[in-house]
PDB file of all heavy atoms in Angstrom:
ATOM      1  N   PHE A 358      -2.567   8.619   0.817  1.00 97.00           N
ATOM      2  CA  PHE A 358      -3.949   8.347   0.796  1.00 97.00           C
ATOM      3  C   PHE A 358      -4.653   9.277  -0.235  1.00 97.00           C
ATOM      4  O   PHE A 358      -5.414   8.808  -1.050  1.00 97.00           O
ATOM      5  CB  PHE A 358      -4.587   8.506   2.139  1.00 97.00           C
ATOM      6  CG  PHE A 358      -6.068   8.166   2.194  1.00 97.00           C
ATOM      7  CD1 PHE A 358      -6.554   6.909   1.873  1.00 97.00           C
ATOM      8  CD2 PHE A 358      -6.959   9.115   2.669  1.00 97.00           C
ATOM      9  CE1 PHE A 358      -7.924   6.603   1.987  1.00 97.00           C
ATOM     10  CE2 PHE A 358      -8.338   8.864   2.735  1.00 97.00           C
ATOM     11  CZ  PHE A 358      -8.714   7.613   2.385  1.00 97.00           C
ATOM     12  N   VAL A 359      -4.294  10.548  -0.180  1.00 97.00           N
ATOM     13  CA  VAL A 359      -4.952  11.532  -1.132  1.00 97.00           C
ATOM     14  C   VAL A 359      -4.620  11.083  -2.562  1.00 97.00           C
ATOM     15  O   VAL A 359      -5.463  11.105  -3.419  1.00 97.00           O
ATOM     16  CB  VAL A 359      -4.370  12.903  -0.825  1.00 97.00           C
ATOM     17  CG1 VAL A 359      -4.826  13.833  -1.963  1.00 97.00           C
ATOM     18  CG2 VAL A 359      -4.903  13.399   0.518  1.00 97.00           C
ATOM     19  N   PHE A 360      -3.362  10.755  -2.782  1.00 96.00           N
ATOM     20  CA  PHE A 360      -2.941  10.335  -4.138  1.00 96.00           C
ATOM     21  C   PHE A 360      -3.627   9.044  -4.573  1.00 96.00           C
ATOM     22  O   PHE A 360      -4.176   8.963  -5.681  1.00 96.00           O
ATOM     23  CB  PHE A 360      -1.370  10.164  -4.158  1.00 96.00           C
ATOM     24  CG  PHE A 360      -0.874   9.425  -5.307  1.00 96.00           C
ATOM     25  CD1 PHE A 360      -0.811  10.101  -6.583  1.00 96.00           C
ATOM     26  CD2 PHE A 360      -0.411   8.122  -5.229  1.00 96.00           C
ATOM     27  CE1 PHE A 360      -0.211   9.386  -7.653  1.00 96.00           C
ATOM     28  CE2 PHE A 360       0.152   7.494  -6.335  1.00 96.00           C
ATOM     29  CZ  PHE A 360       0.189   8.111  -7.551  1.00 96.00           C
ATOM     30  N   ILE A 361      -3.636   8.068  -3.706  1.00 95.00           N
ATOM     31  CA  ILE A 361      -4.180   6.726  -4.143  1.00 95.00           C
ATOM     32  C   ILE A 361      -5.641   6.740  -4.242  1.00 95.00           C
ATOM     33  O   ILE A 361      -6.259   6.030  -5.100  1.00 95.00           O
ATOM     34  CB  ILE A 361      -3.680   5.590  -3.130  1.00 95.00           C
ATOM     35  CG1 ILE A 361      -3.630   4.230  -3.917  1.00 95.00           C
ATOM     36  CG2 ILE A 361      -4.533   5.528  -1.942  1.00 95.00           C
ATOM     37  CD1 ILE A 361      -2.569   4.190  -4.963  1.00 95.00           C
ATOM     38  N   VAL A 362      -6.390   7.524  -3.441  1.00 97.00           N
ATOM     39  CA  VAL A 362      -7.775   7.733  -3.637  1.00 97.00           C
ATOM     40  C   VAL A 362      -8.121   8.268  -5.065  1.00 97.00           C
ATOM     41  O   VAL A 362      -9.064   7.781  -5.725  1.00 97.00           O
ATOM     42  CB  VAL A 362      -8.417   8.628  -2.513  1.00 97.00           C
ATOM     43  CG1 VAL A 362      -9.813   9.083  -2.919  1.00 97.00           C
ATOM     44  CG2 VAL A 362      -8.493   7.822  -1.196  1.00 97.00           C
ATOM     45  N   GLY A 363      -7.329   9.209  -5.441  1.00 98.00           N
ATOM     46  CA  GLY A 363      -7.556   9.806  -6.784  1.00 98.00           C
ATOM     47  C   GLY A 363      -7.152   8.843  -7.869  1.00 98.00           C
ATOM     48  O   GLY A 363      -7.955   8.552  -8.762  1.00 98.00           O
ATOM     49  N   LEU A 364      -5.951   8.285  -7.848  1.00 96.00           N
ATOM     50  CA  LEU A 364      -5.477   7.403  -8.875  1.00 96.00           C
ATOM     51  C   LEU A 364      -6.324   6.124  -8.962  1.00 96.00           C
ATOM     52  O   LEU A 364      -6.824   5.751 -10.071  1.00 96.00           O
ATOM     53  CB  LEU A 364      -4.041   6.929  -8.569  1.00 96.00           C
ATOM     54  CG  LEU A 364      -3.429   5.961  -9.583  1.00 96.00           C
ATOM     55  CD1 LEU A 364      -3.097   6.650 -10.893  1.00 96.00           C
ATOM     56  CD2 LEU A 364      -2.142   5.330  -8.957  1.00 96.00           C
ATOM     57  N   SER A 365      -6.615   5.522  -7.821  1.00 96.00           N
ATOM     58  CA  SER A 365      -7.410   4.254  -7.819  1.00 96.00           C
ATOM     59  C   SER A 365      -8.857   4.561  -8.288  1.00 96.00           C
ATOM     60  O   SER A 365      -9.405   3.830  -9.064  1.00 96.00           O
ATOM     61  CB  SER A 365      -7.429   3.615  -6.521  1.00 96.00           C
ATOM     62  OG  SER A 365      -6.180   3.115  -6.124  1.00 96.00           O
ATOM     63  N   GLY A 366      -9.479   5.549  -7.689  1.00 98.00           N
ATOM     64  CA  GLY A 366     -10.861   5.888  -7.992  1.00 98.00           C
ATOM     65  C   GLY A 366     -11.086   6.145  -9.456  1.00 98.00           C
ATOM     66  O   GLY A 366     -11.972   5.578 -10.069  1.00 98.00           O
ATOM     67  N   LEU A 367     -10.210   6.983 -10.044  1.00 98.00           N
ATOM     68  CA  LEU A 367     -10.503   7.455 -11.446  1.00 98.00           C
ATOM     69  C   LEU A 367     -10.093   6.384 -12.485  1.00 98.00           C
ATOM     70  O   LEU A 367     -10.742   6.190 -13.507  1.00 98.00           O
ATOM     71  CB  LEU A 367      -9.849   8.800 -11.700  1.00 98.00           C
ATOM     72  CG  LEU A 367     -10.773  10.022 -11.447  1.00 98.00           C
ATOM     73  CD1 LEU A 367     -11.916  10.025 -12.493  1.00 98.00           C
ATOM     74  CD2 LEU A 367     -11.312  10.054 -10.073  1.00 98.00           C
ATOM     75  N   THR A 368      -8.962   5.745 -12.271  1.00 98.00           N
ATOM     76  CA  THR A 368      -8.525   4.688 -13.226  1.00 98.00           C
ATOM     77  C   THR A 368      -9.525   3.516 -13.219  1.00 98.00           C
ATOM     78  O   THR A 368      -9.852   2.916 -14.261  1.00 98.00           O
ATOM     79  CB  THR A 368      -7.110   4.163 -12.997  1.00 98.00           C
ATOM     80  OG1 THR A 368      -6.980   3.666 -11.643  1.00 98.00           O
ATOM     81  CG2 THR A 368      -6.089   5.330 -13.278  1.00 98.00           C
ATOM     82  N   THR A 369     -10.068   3.196 -12.061  1.00 98.00           N
ATOM     83  CA  THR A 369     -10.943   2.113 -11.983  1.00 98.00           C
ATOM     84  C   THR A 369     -12.361   2.461 -12.471  1.00 98.00           C
ATOM     85  O   THR A 369     -13.020   1.702 -13.208  1.00 98.00           O
ATOM     86  CB  THR A 369     -11.143   1.594 -10.483  1.00 98.00           C
ATOM     87  OG1 THR A 369      -9.829   1.328  -9.982  1.00 98.00           O
ATOM     88  CG2 THR A 369     -11.930   0.305 -10.344  1.00 98.00           C
ATOM     89  N   LEU A 370     -12.779   3.686 -12.136  1.00 98.00           N
ATOM     90  CA  LEU A 370     -14.088   4.177 -12.596  1.00 98.00           C
ATOM     91  C   LEU A 370     -14.112   4.220 -14.094  1.00 98.00           C
ATOM     92  O   LEU A 370     -15.156   3.849 -14.808  1.00 98.00           O
ATOM     93  CB  LEU A 370     -14.371   5.491 -11.991  1.00 98.00           C
ATOM     94  CG  LEU A 370     -15.812   6.137 -12.217  1.00 98.00           C
ATOM     95  CD1 LEU A 370     -16.845   5.299 -11.507  1.00 98.00           C
ATOM     96  CD2 LEU A 370     -15.818   7.598 -11.735  1.00 98.00           C
ATOM     97  N   THR A 371     -13.077   4.704 -14.764  1.00 98.00           N
ATOM     98  CA  THR A 371     -13.025   4.915 -16.191  1.00 98.00           C
ATOM     99  C   THR A 371     -12.554   3.724 -16.939  1.00 98.00           C
ATOM    100  O   THR A 371     -12.632   3.653 -18.186  1.00 98.00           O
ATOM    101  CB  THR A 371     -12.199   6.123 -16.566  1.00 98.00           C
ATOM    102  OG1 THR A 371     -10.812   5.892 -16.120  1.00 98.00           O
ATOM    103  CG2 THR A 371     -12.713   7.411 -15.845  1.00 98.00           C
ATOM    104  N   ARG A 372     -11.961   2.716 -16.242  1.00 97.00           N
ATOM    105  CA  ARG A 372     -11.278   1.595 -16.887  1.00 97.00           C
ATOM    106  C   ARG A 372     -10.160   2.028 -17.777  1.00 97.00           C
ATOM    107  O   ARG A 372      -9.905   1.390 -18.865  1.00 97.00           O
ATOM    108  CB  ARG A 372     -12.275   0.742 -17.636  1.00 97.00           C
ATOM    109  CG  ARG A 372     -13.119  -0.261 -16.833  1.00 97.00           C
ATOM    110  CD  ARG A 372     -14.107   0.446 -15.968  1.00 97.00           C
ATOM    111  NE  ARG A 372     -15.177  -0.526 -15.578  1.00 97.00           N
ATOM    112  CZ  ARG A 372     -16.156  -0.226 -14.711  1.00 97.00           C
ATOM    113  NH1 ARG A 372     -16.190   1.027 -14.161  1.00 97.00           N
ATOM    114  NH2 ARG A 372     -17.088  -1.106 -14.406  1.00 97.00           N
ATOM    115  N   ARG A 373      -9.440   3.105 -17.465  1.00 97.00           N
ATOM    116  CA  ARG A 373      -8.352   3.605 -18.303  1.00 97.00           C
ATOM    117  C   ARG A 373      -7.139   3.919 -17.444  1.00 97.00           C
ATOM    118  O   ARG A 373      -7.258   4.110 -16.249  1.00 97.00           O
ATOM    119  CB  ARG A 373      -8.808   4.907 -19.048  1.00 97.00           C
ATOM    120  CG  ARG A 373     -10.012   4.730 -19.945  1.00 97.00           C
ATOM    121  CD  ARG A 373      -9.739   3.830 -21.148  1.00 97.00           C
ATOM    122  NE  ARG A 373      -8.709   4.362 -21.993  1.00 97.00           N
ATOM    123  CZ  ARG A 373      -8.950   5.249 -23.006  1.00 97.00           C
ATOM    124  NH1 ARG A 373     -10.190   5.722 -23.182  1.00 97.00           N
ATOM    125  NH2 ARG A 373      -7.965   5.699 -23.764  1.00 97.00           N
ATOM    126  N   SER A 374      -6.007   4.039 -18.077  1.00 96.00           N
ATOM    127  CA  SER A 374      -4.764   4.375 -17.383  1.00 96.00           C
ATOM    128  C   SER A 374      -4.844   5.877 -17.075  1.00 96.00           C
ATOM    129  O   SER A 374      -5.713   6.610 -17.520  1.00 96.00           O
ATOM    130  CB  SER A 374      -3.529   4.081 -18.172  1.00 96.00           C
ATOM    131  OG  SER A 374      -3.562   4.866 -19.374  1.00 96.00           O
ATOM    132  N   ILE A 375      -3.788   6.348 -16.356  1.00 96.00           N
ATOM    133  CA  ILE A 375      -3.821   7.816 -15.836  1.00 96.00           C
ATOM    134  C   ILE A 375      -3.660   8.778 -16.958  1.00 96.00           C
ATOM    135  O   ILE A 375      -4.168   9.861 -16.922  1.00 96.00           O
ATOM    136  CB  ILE A 375      -2.796   7.936 -14.738  1.00 96.00           C
ATOM    137  CG1 ILE A 375      -3.051   9.273 -14.007  1.00 96.00           C
ATOM    138  CG2 ILE A 375      -1.358   7.917 -15.344  1.00 96.00           C
ATOM    139  CD1 ILE A 375      -4.363   9.346 -13.305  1.00 96.00           C
ATOM    140  N   GLY A 376      -3.044   8.375 -18.059  1.00 97.00           N
ATOM    141  CA  GLY A 376      -2.839   9.301 -19.183  1.00 97.00           C
ATOM    142  C   GLY A 376      -4.064   9.896 -19.779  1.00 97.00           C
ATOM    143  O   GLY A 376      -4.274  11.151 -19.764  1.00 97.00           O
ATOM    144  N   PRO A 377      -5.034   9.051 -20.207  1.00 98.00           N
ATOM    145  CA  PRO A 377      -6.331   9.563 -20.692  1.00 98.00           C
ATOM    146  C   PRO A 377      -7.123  10.293 -19.571  1.00 98.00           C
ATOM    147  O   PRO A 377      -7.810  11.229 -19.867  1.00 98.00           O
ATOM    148  CB  PRO A 377      -7.024   8.276 -21.169  1.00 98.00           C
ATOM    149  CG  PRO A 377      -5.955   7.336 -21.448  1.00 98.00           C
ATOM    150  CD  PRO A 377      -4.915   7.615 -20.447  1.00 98.00           C
ATOM    151  N   VAL A 378      -7.026   9.826 -18.337  1.00 98.00           N
ATOM    152  CA  VAL A 378      -7.790  10.372 -17.261  1.00 98.00           C
ATOM    153  C   VAL A 378      -7.356  11.872 -17.061  1.00 98.00           C
ATOM    154  O   VAL A 378      -8.224  12.780 -16.944  1.00 98.00           O
ATOM    155  CB  VAL A 378      -7.649   9.607 -15.937  1.00 98.00           C
ATOM    156  CG1 VAL A 378      -8.192  10.392 -14.743  1.00 98.00           C
ATOM    157  CG2 VAL A 378      -8.366   8.259 -16.046  1.00 98.00           C
ATOM    158  N   ARG A 379      -6.075  12.098 -17.021  1.00 98.00           N
ATOM    159  CA  ARG A 379      -5.628  13.484 -16.727  1.00 98.00           C
ATOM    160  C   ARG A 379      -5.724  14.373 -17.962  1.00 98.00           C
ATOM    161  O   ARG A 379      -5.668  15.620 -17.790  1.00 98.00           O
ATOM    162  CB  ARG A 379      -4.148  13.415 -16.217  1.00 98.00           C
ATOM    163  CG  ARG A 379      -3.138  13.027 -17.240  1.00 98.00           C
ATOM    164  CD  ARG A 379      -1.779  12.720 -16.705  1.00 98.00           C
ATOM    165  NE  ARG A 379      -0.854  12.412 -17.772  1.00 98.00           N
ATOM    166  CZ  ARG A 379       0.304  11.746 -17.529  1.00 98.00           C
ATOM    167  NH1 ARG A 379       0.610  11.330 -16.305  1.00 98.00           N
ATOM    168  NH2 ARG A 379       1.089  11.447 -18.525  1.00 98.00           N
ATOM    169  N   SER A 380      -5.816  13.805 -19.157  1.00 98.00           N
ATOM    170  CA  SER A 380      -5.917  14.571 -20.405  1.00 98.00           C
ATOM    171  C   SER A 380      -7.315  15.104 -20.661  1.00 98.00           C
ATOM    172  O   SER A 380      -7.453  16.206 -21.305  1.00 98.00           O
ATOM    173  CB  SER A 380      -5.393  13.760 -21.537  1.00 98.00           C
ATOM    174  OG  SER A 380      -4.057  13.422 -21.393  1.00 98.00           O
ATOM    175  N   ASP A 381      -8.293  14.373 -20.274  1.00 98.00           N
ATOM    176  CA  ASP A 381      -9.690  14.830 -20.538  1.00 98.00           C
ATOM    177  C   ASP A 381     -10.093  15.813 -19.482  1.00 98.00           C
ATOM    178  O   ASP A 381      -9.970  15.583 -18.285  1.00 98.00           O
ATOM    179  CB  ASP A 381     -10.624  13.584 -20.489  1.00 98.00           C
ATOM    180  CG  ASP A 381     -12.114  13.974 -20.696  1.00 98.00           C
ATOM    181  OD1 ASP A 381     -12.440  13.969 -21.853  1.00 98.00           O
ATOM    182  OD2 ASP A 381     -12.798  14.279 -19.761  1.00 98.00           O
ATOM    183  N   PRO A 382     -10.697  16.977 -19.856  1.00 98.00           N
ATOM    184  CA  PRO A 382     -10.994  18.014 -18.859  1.00 98.00           C
ATOM    185  C   PRO A 382     -12.003  17.556 -17.802  1.00 98.00           C
ATOM    186  O   PRO A 382     -11.955  18.009 -16.690  1.00 98.00           O
ATOM    187  CB  PRO A 382     -11.540  19.150 -19.707  1.00 98.00           C
ATOM    188  CG  PRO A 382     -11.893  18.566 -21.047  1.00 98.00           C
ATOM    189  CD  PRO A 382     -11.021  17.396 -21.208  1.00 98.00           C
ATOM    190  N   ASP A 383     -12.981  16.741 -18.151  1.00 98.00           N
ATOM    191  CA  ASP A 383     -14.041  16.313 -17.243  1.00 98.00           C
ATOM    192  C   ASP A 383     -13.470  15.324 -16.240  1.00 98.00           C
ATOM    193  O   ASP A 383     -13.754  15.469 -15.016  1.00 98.00           O
ATOM    194  CB  ASP A 383     -15.232  15.731 -17.954  1.00 98.00           C
ATOM    195  CG  ASP A 383     -15.956  16.804 -18.758  1.00 98.00           C
ATOM    196  OD1 ASP A 383     -16.097  17.900 -18.331  1.00 98.00           O
ATOM    197  OD2 ASP A 383     -16.336  16.532 -19.941  1.00 98.00           O
ATOM    198  N   THR A 384     -12.705  14.303 -16.740  1.00 98.00           N
ATOM    199  CA  THR A 384     -12.179  13.377 -15.725  1.00 98.00           C
ATOM    200  C   THR A 384     -11.096  13.959 -14.908  1.00 98.00           C
ATOM    201  O   THR A 384     -10.820  13.601 -13.736  1.00 98.00           O
ATOM    202  CB  THR A 384     -11.698  12.044 -16.485  1.00 98.00           C
ATOM    203  OG1 THR A 384     -10.777  12.429 -17.512  1.00 98.00           O
ATOM    204  CG2 THR A 384     -12.869  11.290 -16.995  1.00 98.00           C
ATOM    205  N   ARG A 385     -10.315  14.892 -15.504  1.00 98.00           N
ATOM    206  CA  ARG A 385      -9.297  15.596 -14.809  1.00 98.00           C
ATOM    207  C   ARG A 385      -9.935  16.434 -13.595  1.00 98.00           C
ATOM    208  O   ARG A 385      -9.439  16.398 -12.504  1.00 98.00           O
ATOM    209  CB  ARG A 385      -8.533  16.502 -15.657  1.00 98.00           C
ATOM    210  CG  ARG A 385      -7.325  17.266 -14.972  1.00 98.00           C
ATOM    211  CD  ARG A 385      -6.611  18.167 -15.958  1.00 98.00           C
ATOM    212  NE  ARG A 385      -5.478  18.868 -15.348  1.00 98.00           N
ATOM    213  CZ  ARG A 385      -4.266  18.389 -15.294  1.00 98.00           C
ATOM    214  NH1 ARG A 385      -3.998  17.196 -15.815  1.00 98.00           N
ATOM    215  NH2 ARG A 385      -3.329  19.063 -14.661  1.00 98.00           N
ATOM    216  N   ALA A 386     -11.025  17.068 -13.910  1.00 98.00           N
ATOM    217  CA  ALA A 386     -11.728  17.873 -12.799  1.00 98.00           C
ATOM    218  C   ALA A 386     -12.241  16.941 -11.738  1.00 98.00           C
ATOM    219  O   ALA A 386     -12.186  17.252 -10.559  1.00 98.00           O
ATOM    220  CB  ALA A 386     -12.876  18.651 -13.458  1.00 98.00           C
ATOM    221  N   LEU A 387     -12.771  15.772 -12.123  1.00 98.00           N
ATOM    222  CA  LEU A 387     -13.319  14.815 -11.100  1.00 98.00           C
ATOM    223  C   LEU A 387     -12.141  14.293 -10.238  1.00 98.00           C
ATOM    224  O   LEU A 387     -12.235  14.152  -9.036  1.00 98.00           O
ATOM    225  CB  LEU A 387     -14.034  13.736 -11.786  1.00 98.00           C
ATOM    226  CG  LEU A 387     -14.673  12.669 -10.854  1.00 98.00           C
ATOM    227  CD1 LEU A 387     -15.627  13.291  -9.870  1.00 98.00           C
ATOM    228  CD2 LEU A 387     -15.337  11.558 -11.660  1.00 98.00           C
ATOM    229  N   LEU A 388     -10.968  14.015 -10.868  1.00 98.00           N
ATOM    230  CA  LEU A 388      -9.857  13.558 -10.159  1.00 98.00           C
ATOM    231  C   LEU A 388      -9.458  14.589  -9.155  1.00 98.00           C
ATOM    232  O   LEU A 388      -9.147  14.238  -7.949  1.00 98.00           O
ATOM    233  CB  LEU A 388      -8.661  13.322 -11.151  1.00 98.00           C
ATOM    234  CG  LEU A 388      -7.326  13.014 -10.618  1.00 98.00           C
ATOM    235  CD1 LEU A 388      -7.232  11.784  -9.761  1.00 98.00           C
ATOM    236  CD2 LEU A 388      -6.309  12.949 -11.764  1.00 98.00           C
ATOM    237  N   LEU A 389      -9.369  15.812  -9.524  1.00 98.00           N
ATOM    238  CA  LEU A 389      -8.971  16.874  -8.534  1.00 98.00           C
ATOM    239  C   LEU A 389     -10.008  16.987  -7.425  1.00 98.00           C
ATOM    240  O   LEU A 389      -9.671  17.118  -6.268  1.00 98.00           O
ATOM    241  CB  LEU A 389      -8.857  18.191  -9.289  1.00 98.00           C
ATOM    242  CG  LEU A 389      -8.373  19.419  -8.436  1.00 98.00           C
ATOM    243  CD1 LEU A 389      -7.032  19.080  -7.756  1.00 98.00           C
ATOM    244  CD2 LEU A 389      -8.240  20.617  -9.348  1.00 98.00           C
ATOM    245  N   ASP A 390     -11.329  16.901  -7.736  1.00 98.00           N
ATOM    246  CA  ASP A 390     -12.401  16.982  -6.692  1.00 98.00           C
ATOM    247  C   ASP A 390     -12.226  15.854  -5.689  1.00 98.00           C
ATOM    248  O   ASP A 390     -12.359  16.053  -4.528  1.00 98.00           O
ATOM    249  CB  ASP A 390     -13.705  16.901  -7.326  1.00 98.00           C
ATOM    250  CG  ASP A 390     -14.107  18.214  -8.019  1.00 98.00           C
ATOM    251  OD1 ASP A 390     -13.450  19.267  -7.746  1.00 98.00           O
ATOM    252  OD2 ASP A 390     -15.080  18.210  -8.843  1.00 98.00           O
ATOM    253  N   VAL A 391     -11.919  14.647  -6.182  1.00 98.00           N
ATOM    254  CA  VAL A 391     -11.785  13.421  -5.277  1.00 98.00           C
ATOM    255  C   VAL A 391     -10.638  13.693  -4.303  1.00 98.00           C
ATOM    256  O   VAL A 391     -10.763  13.489  -3.121  1.00 98.00           O
ATOM    257  CB  VAL A 391     -11.577  12.195  -6.157  1.00 98.00           C
ATOM    258  CG1 VAL A 391     -11.012  11.049  -5.305  1.00 98.00           C
ATOM    259  CG2 VAL A 391     -12.837  11.729  -6.785  1.00 98.00           C
ATOM    260  N   MET A 392      -9.531  14.232  -4.844  1.00 98.00           N
ATOM    261  CA  MET A 392      -8.360  14.454  -3.942  1.00 98.00           C
ATOM    262  C   MET A 392      -8.593  15.637  -3.052  1.00 98.00           C
ATOM    263  O   MET A 392      -8.162  15.605  -1.852  1.00 98.00           O
ATOM    264  CB  MET A 392      -7.105  14.699  -4.832  1.00 98.00           C
ATOM    265  CG  MET A 392      -6.634  13.438  -5.599  1.00 98.00           C
ATOM    266  SD  MET A 392      -4.980  13.497  -6.324  1.00 98.00           S
ATOM    267  CE  MET A 392      -5.201  14.778  -7.512  1.00 98.00           C
ATOM    268  N   ARG A 393      -9.223  16.694  -3.526  1.00 98.00           N
ATOM    269  CA  ARG A 393      -9.538  17.797  -2.620  1.00 98.00           C
ATOM    270  C   ARG A 393     -10.402  17.459  -1.413  1.00 98.00           C
ATOM    271  O   ARG A 393     -10.213  17.881  -0.321  1.00 98.00           O
ATOM    272  CB  ARG A 393     -10.176  18.931  -3.438  1.00 98.00           C
ATOM    273  CG  ARG A 393      -9.262  19.798  -4.260  1.00 98.00           C
ATOM    274  CD  ARG A 393      -9.936  20.812  -5.165  1.00 98.00           C
ATOM    275  NE  ARG A 393      -9.061  21.666  -5.772  1.00 98.00           N
ATOM    276  CZ  ARG A 393      -9.369  22.559  -6.759  1.00 98.00           C
ATOM    277  NH1 ARG A 393     -10.654  22.608  -7.175  1.00 98.00           N
ATOM    278  NH2 ARG A 393      -8.420  23.304  -7.340  1.00 98.00           N
ATOM    279  N   GLU A 394     -11.362  16.568  -1.712  1.00 98.00           N
ATOM    280  CA  GLU A 394     -12.257  16.100  -0.557  1.00 98.00           C
ATOM    281  C   GLU A 394     -11.420  15.317   0.399  1.00 98.00           C
ATOM    282  O   GLU A 394     -11.647  15.430   1.614  1.00 98.00           O
ATOM    283  CB  GLU A 394     -13.331  15.220  -1.160  1.00 98.00           C
ATOM    284  CG  GLU A 394     -14.424  16.031  -1.993  1.00 98.00           C
ATOM    285  CD  GLU A 394     -15.477  15.198  -2.587  1.00 98.00           C
ATOM    286  OE1 GLU A 394     -15.446  13.948  -2.355  1.00 98.00           O
ATOM    287  OE2 GLU A 394     -16.245  15.727  -3.363  1.00 98.00           O
TER     288      GLU A 394
END
Side-chain angles (χ1 to χ4, degrees):
F358 182 61
V359 170
F360 166 73
I361 206 68
V362 164
L364 179 72
S365 293
L367 267 294
T368 56
T369 308
L370 187 68
T371 62
R372 280 71 160 172
R373 301 293 298 273
S374 66
I375 194 60
V378 168
R379 70 191 181 200
S380 297
D381 180 87
D383 293 318
T384 52
R385 184 181 181 88
L387 182 58
L388 170 63
L389 183 57
D390 285 345
V391 163
M392 293 192 295
R393 282 175 172 169
E394 290 175 6

